Amino acid sequence: QVQLVESGGGLVQAGGSLRLSCAASRIAFGLNSMGWYHQAPGKQRELVATITSGGSTNYADSVKGRFTISRDNVKSTVYLQMNSLRPEDTGVYYCNAVLTPTSMPQYPWGQGTQVTVSS
């Protein structure tokens, strides 16, 4: 079945950086738009960054200018470079293929990776 395996999270001080990775298997990775979702404690999961199969990117206002999404179609991996981290970036980060135009996730969720930003 489809597997989405996120990694790279951790504990970092405010202003620091992390790079998240998501390895996908058993999907037509190169044909899919991919996205990163953030679930803050006690809140719903929200889409924060997307990248199309052609490499076009889009970001939520909360992360614009600080996060960068990229992809490696050979490795079937999507990345999220997170800079200038803030305490409100704390939460679990998940990746998924993104259905357009609804931006809904396409596959079952992976386990996510925890990011904790201390003030």
Side-chain angles (χ1 to χ4, degrees):
Q1 68 271 22
V2 171
Q3 277 196 315
L4 299 167
V5 180
E6 299 91 347
S7 62
L11 172 64
V12 64
Q13 288 189 329
S17 298
L18 284 173
R19 189 190 193 211
L20 307 184
S21 299
C22 170
S25 59
R26 298 184 180 89
I27 69 171
F29 184 85
L31 301 180
N32 280 283
S33 292
M34 297 296 296
W36 281 97
Y37 296 75
H38 171 222
Q39 186 165 22
K43 296 188 177 180
Q44 289 200 346
R45 207 167 300 185
E46 61 172 1
L47 182 62
V48 296
T50 59
I51 185 167
T52 68
S53 58
S56 297
T57 58
N58 195 36
Y59 300 93
D61 288 344
S62 59
V63 307
K64 201 171 292 183
R66 300 188 298 121
F67 291 8
T68 302
I69 187 171
S70 60
R71 65 191 296 159
D72 185 332
N73 290 338
V74 173
K75 295 181 178 179
S76 295
T77 300
V78 60
Y79 304 97
L80 187 67
Q81 178 67 43
M82 311 167 71
N83 298 329
S84 302
L85 282 161
R86 303 169 179 170
E88 53 264 39
D89 297 321
T90 293
V92 183
Y93 285 77
Y94 302 86
C95 74
N96 211 316
V98 179
L99 291 170
T100 56
T102 63
S103 296
M104 295 296 291
Q106 186 169 359
Y107 297 111
W109 297 104
Q111 84 289 349
T113 186
Q114 174 71 44
V115 171
T116 303
V117 185
S118 63
S119 57

